Amino acid sequence: LFLNIKNFITNNIFYIIIFLYLLFTFGIFFLSDYINSANFTDGYILGGDSNRYINGANNLINFDYPKDRELSYIGYIFFIAIFQYLNLSLTFVTLTQIILTILSGLCIYQISKKLSSEFGGLFSISLYLFYFPLQIRNFYILTETIFICVLIFVIYFLVFFKKKYLPLLVFLILFYIIIRPHGILIVPSLILASLTWI
């Protein structure tokens, strides 16, 4: 029996980690009353700049294009606008952010596995998915989750580069640049990384 359990865990460890992450995420949600500065009774929480993104998204779907400082966050405003256009509550934003976190975790696993080992991949995804300060941000209507996930996707498509991925890679880089003002720093970072690799 113990041998069967060990074999099952060994063969399904990645899926077990994802399952535990979902339990962890639901735990954060249901225990939010006990977490400092967190109350997810609506399925999301607003941070300092959340109203700017929400108002910008409302303006965008009414063809009133963002101006001034809102332009620096147009990527995230567009992301929010998709849900508002479909008349979906902001809870769906947090659910999407959680799904993107799982997908980016899968990318981290594959990158680490390629550059290190199976254990390295499992270790890396575990550090990423169970780092509480990072995962609690999934419930906020803020740019952090998307910003981190898109960068991980960019790195993934660079590590596993194929010509057919080029349009998607260019899109992700451009999207990353417009999520937050300092997203532009990805350009010199990629140039320096390319020079180092060469």
Side-chain angles (χ1 to χ4, degrees):
L1 177 65
F2 289 113
L3 187 60
N4 289 338
I5 293 172
K6 181 182 176 184
N7 288 336
F8 176 80
I9 291 172
T10 304
N11 294 332
N12 298 288
I13 188 71
F14 176 77
Y15 301 103
I16 292 170
I17 289 172
I18 297 299
F19 175 73
L20 291 174
Y21 169 71
L22 291 173
L23 288 179
F24 177 67
T25 304
F26 285 120
I28 291 173
F29 176 76
F30 289 114
L31 298 174
S32 66
D33 289 343
Y34 303 100
I35 300 170
N36 189 28
S37 302
N39 182 355
F40 310 136
T41 51
D42 294 325
Y44 62 89
I45 191 166
L46 301 180
D49 292 328
S50 299
N51 287 327
R52 176 193 301 154
Y53 308 138
I54 294 166
N55 293 335
N58 279 327
N59 292 339
L60 190 61
I61 60 177
N62 289 312
F63 301 102
D64 181 10
Y65 299 104
K67 304 172 188 71
D68 305 323
R69 192 161 163 76
E70 284 182 355
L71 281 173
S72 301
Y73 300 92
I74 187 66
Y76 193 68
I77 288 171
F78 181 77
F79 175 73
I80 298 293
I82 293 170
F83 296 91
Q84 292 188 338
Y85 179 76
L86 296 172
N87 291 318
L88 297 173
S89 76
L90 293 174
T91 302
F92 285 91
V93 174
T94 62
L95 288 173
T96 303
Q97 290 179 165
I98 289 168
I99 291 168
L100 289 173
T101 297
I102 293 171
L103 292 175
S104 61
L106 175 60
C107 291
I108 285 177
Y109 169 74
Q110 293 293 345
I111 292 166
S112 302
K113 185 178 172 182
K114 179 177 180 178
L115 301 178
S116 174
S117 63
E118 175 77 19
F119 175 78
L122 294 171
F123 184 70
S124 298
I125 190 176
S126 298
L127 285 178
Y128 176 64
L129 292 181
F130 296 101
Y131 182 58
F132 181 76
L134 179 63
Q135 298 308 323
I136 200 171
R137 305 305 281 183
N138 286 335
F139 293 95
Y140 283 80
I141 306 301
L142 294 172
T143 59
E144 281 83 354
T145 297
I146 300 297
F147 198 63
I148 292 167
C149 290
V150 172
L151 180 59
I152 292 168
F153 295 147
V154 168
I155 294 169
Y156 174 84
F157 285 112
L158 285 172
V159 170
F160 294 95
F161 182 78
K162 291 180 182 175
K163 286 183 181 177
K164 65 181 180 181
Y165 295 151
L166 191 57
L168 180 58
L169 186 57
V170 170
F171 168 77
L172 288 171
I173 291 170
L174 292 175
F175 184 57
Y176 184 79
I177 289 170
I178 62 173
I179 295 172
R180 292 172 77 160
H182 58 281
I184 191 68
L185 293 176
I186 195 173
V187 175
S189 299
L190 290 176
I191 292 170
L192 184 60
S194 300
L195 291 173
T196 305
W197 180 76
I198 291 169

